[in-house]
Amino acid sequence: MSEEIEKVKCLIIGSGPAGYTAAIYAARANMAPVLYQGMQPGGQLTTTNEVENFPGYQDGVTGPEMMMQLEAQAKRFDTDVRNGWVTKVDFSGPVHKVWIEDKKEIHADTIIISTGASARYLGLESEQKYLKAGGGVSACAVCDGFFYRGQETVIVGAGDSACEEAHYLSNICTKVTMLVRRDEFRASKIMAERVKNTANIEILFNTETEEVLGENDLVTGARVKNNVTGEIKEIPCTGFFVAIGHNPNTEIFKPYVNLDDAGYIEYAEPGTAKTNVEGVFVSGDAADKTYRQAITAAGTGCMAALEAERYLAAKGH
Ligand code: NDP
């Protein structure tokens, strides 16, 4: 027998900085938000060690700690934070229908999508080992580059992100080695030129990672292979950055919400949090392939909640 349908004013999907900020604003506006945490409670920041660039934390904070504080702040204003994830939606009618783990059905007046994106990794066992140990593998140079100042780093990728991050690292690190799997960049010409013209960035084309090397949970280098000549060599580094793209977590919304070619949710009106579906708003990395920072996610979470509130007010709720 199916459970009774629950009706809520504001349903927030996702528990990163975007989702919790939306919850804080929605709760303080008496919208009684219900927030589903999703598969990775706390989102991408739970895989980060130290966060030093979120304003207000003078001495830095660990990613998991910051997410616990955001959760506590959202709960302080009576956000109903729940474990579980959304498996299906139906945004075809005036009522926004959502199913939790294919069972529980919720009807929401407004929805705030804050499902984020997941960084792609190479999938090597050694890469995952040092990532989990917090020992030198990262998918965000802007977040973690600072920890490798004055040291040598490696970055994998050849898109705009990899170029931007390699350039960022070059200002902090003594040397950056960029591993490009083909004989050319995917990045825009201007970004690729900037990397090529930076003295302390060495670009290795046709080069793939065989193994991330390390000792005692700390990265010490990378073993790489030239896929044309077969040459294998080891590059010393203390930081191994992966910048091979992100996957926005938007698949379930695809039938109703407009996505761009890469799967990111498109804003219906630039400078707002509106999607093409009335009453459905988006915040955070699910719609952001450019900045991807906790602070930008939090900012758009605030925008989404304020717009959801205005939407409800206009409907007379
Ligand atoms: P992209 O998908 O553009 O690039 C991913 C890169 O990673 C490609 O060069 C790809 O290689 C490489 N890659 C993928 N898998 C592997 C693998 N297993 N091993 C080695 N290399 C791999 O992702 P980005 O994150 O760079 O960019 C996403 C979007 O965001 C783009 O549209 C980009 O233009 C935009 N962007 C814009 C910025 C700006 O304008 N300032 C900044 C950042 C992003 P290959 O080329 O061989 O497929």
Side-chain angles (χ1 to χ4, degrees), residues 176-209:
V176 181
T177 305
M178 201 169 179
L179 308 181
V180 176
R181 68 176 172 183
R182 290 184 295 135
D183 61 357
E184 60 176 0
F185 280 96
R186 175 176 295 275
S188 53
K189 204 159 183 281
I190 187 166
M191 303 281 271
E193 284 304 316
R194 187 179 302 156
V195 164
K196 286 181 191 163
N197 293 330
T198 303
N200 64 340
I201 300 180
E202 183 183 7
I203 304 160
L204 301 181
F205 288 101
N206 299 312
T207 302
E208 292 176 48
T209 312

Side-chain angles (χ1 to χ4, degrees), residues 120-122 156-164 179-182 184-188 191 207-209 243-246 262 264 289-292:
R120 286 188 210 133
Y121 288 94
L122 298 173
V156 184
D160 281 331
S161 295
C163 288
E164 200 166 70
L179 308 181
V180 176
R181 68 176 172 183
R182 290 184 295 135
E184 60 176 0
F185 280 96
R186 175 176 295 275
S188 53
M191 303 281 271
T207 302
E208 292 176 48
T209 312
I244 61 172
H246 285 74
Y264 289 88
K289 63 182 166 202
T290 310
Y291 302 106
R292 294 195 285 252

Side-chain angles (χ1 to χ4, degrees), residues 41-83:
Q44 289 181 78
L45 272 184
T46 52
T47 62
T48 303
N49 264 345
E50 195 77 7
V51 180
E52 290 187 328
N53 54 6
F54 199 95
Y57 291 100
Q58 188 186 341
D59 300 317
V61 60
T62 68
E65 200 181 331
M66 184 171 134
M67 295 322 300
M68 283 193 284
Q69 291 181 7
L70 275 173
E71 180 179 341
Q73 193 175 354
K75 283 180 172 167
R76 183 180 149 210
F77 301 110
D78 292 335
T79 301
D80 187 346
V81 176
R82 298 180 187 171
N83 231 266

Side-chain angles (χ1 to χ4, degrees), residues 2 48 74 78 83 92 126 132 187 214 226 281:
S2 66
T48 303
D78 292 335
N83 231 266
S92 60
S126 52
K132 290 195 180 96
N226 184 305
F281 304 90

Side-chain angles (χ1 to χ4, degrees), residues 2-306:
S2 66
E3 288 180 54
E4 207 179 305
I5 295 169
E6 185 183 5
K7 292 195 167 58
V8 304
K9 263 190 183 174
C10 178
L11 183 76
I12 299 169
I13 311 173
S15 57
Y20 281 132
T21 306
I24 292 163
Y25 274 78
R28 294 183 82 253
N30 279 342
M31 289 160 73
V34 171
L35 180 149
Y36 275 91
Q37 289 183 309
M39 298 278 231
Q40 189 183 18
Q44 289 181 78
L45 272 184
T46 52
T47 62
T48 303
N49 264 345
E50 195 77 7
V51 180
E52 290 187 328
N53 54 6
F54 199 95
Y57 291 100
Q58 188 186 341
D59 300 317
V61 60
T62 68
E65 200 181 331
M66 184 171 134
M67 295 322 300
M68 283 193 284
Q69 291 181 7
L70 275 173
E71 180 179 341
Q73 193 175 354
K75 283 180 172 167
R76 183 180 149 210
F77 301 110
D78 292 335
T79 301
D80 187 346
V81 176
R82 298 180 187 171
N83 231 266
W85 55 93
V86 174
T87 44
K88 197 172 96 175
V89 300
D90 180 353
F91 295 162
S92 60
V95 178
H96 307 112
K97 299 177 183 171
V98 163
W99 284 265
I100 310 301
E101 284 151 48
D102 289 329
K103 291 196 286 273
K104 184 177 172 59
E105 185 175 345
I106 297 181
H107 290 184
D109 294 326
T110 61
I111 304 265
I112 297 178
I113 300 172
S114 314
T115 44
S118 307
R120 286 188 210 133
Y121 288 94
L122 298 173
L124 298 169
E125 211 175 288
S126 52
E127 168 205 55
Q128 291 302 307
K129 177 182 152 194
Y130 295 111
L131 172 72
K132 290 195 180 96
V137 171
S138 166
C140 180
V142 178
C143 319
D144 298 328
F146 191 68
F147 303 113
Y148 306 97
R149 62 190 180 277
Q151 300 167 42
E152 296 188 12
T153 51
V154 162
I155 183 161
V156 184
D160 281 331
S161 295
C163 288
E164 200 166 70
E165 302 209 346
H167 194 253
Y168 182 89
L169 289 172
S170 73
N171 288 320
I172 304 171
C173 304
T174 48
K175 185 178 175 194
V176 181
T177 305
M178 201 169 179
L179 308 181
V180 176
R181 68 176 172 183
R182 290 184 295 135
D183 61 357
E184 60 176 0
F185 280 96
R186 175 176 295 275
S188 53
K189 204 159 183 281
I190 187 166
M191 303 281 271
E193 284 304 316
R194 187 179 302 156
V195 164
K196 286 181 191 163
N197 293 330
T198 303
N200 64 340
I201 300 180
E202 183 183 7
I203 304 160
L204 301 181
F205 288 101
N206 299 312
T207 302
E208 292 176 48
T209 312
E210 281 206 332
E211 213 65 77
V212 180
L213 308 170
E215 269 174 38
N216 303 327
D217 284 346
L218 293 176
V219 170
T220 55
R223 191 171 69 239
V224 302
K225 183 179 182 179
N226 184 305
N227 56 29
V228 175
T229 64
E231 187 200 350
I232 293 175
K233 64 176 176 178
E234 289 186 7
I235 305 168
C237 67
T238 49
F240 183 87
F241 289 87
V242 186
I244 61 172
H246 285 74
N247 296 325
N249 303 317
T250 56
E251 192 62 29
I252 51 167
F253 308 112
K254 207 173 171 178
Y256 308 99
V257 176
N258 291 343
L259 309 180
D260 71 9
D261 292 345
Y264 289 88
I265 293 175
E266 286 184 328
Y267 287 112
E269 275 176 48
T272 73
K274 289 179 188 155
T275 70
N276 59 301
V277 182
E278 261 207 35
V280 176
F281 304 90
V282 62
S283 61
D285 289 10
D288 174 15
K289 63 182 166 202
T290 310
Y291 302 106
R292 294 195 285 252
Q293 298 301 299
I295 188 68
T296 47
T300 54
C302 159
M303 287 165 66
L306 291 177

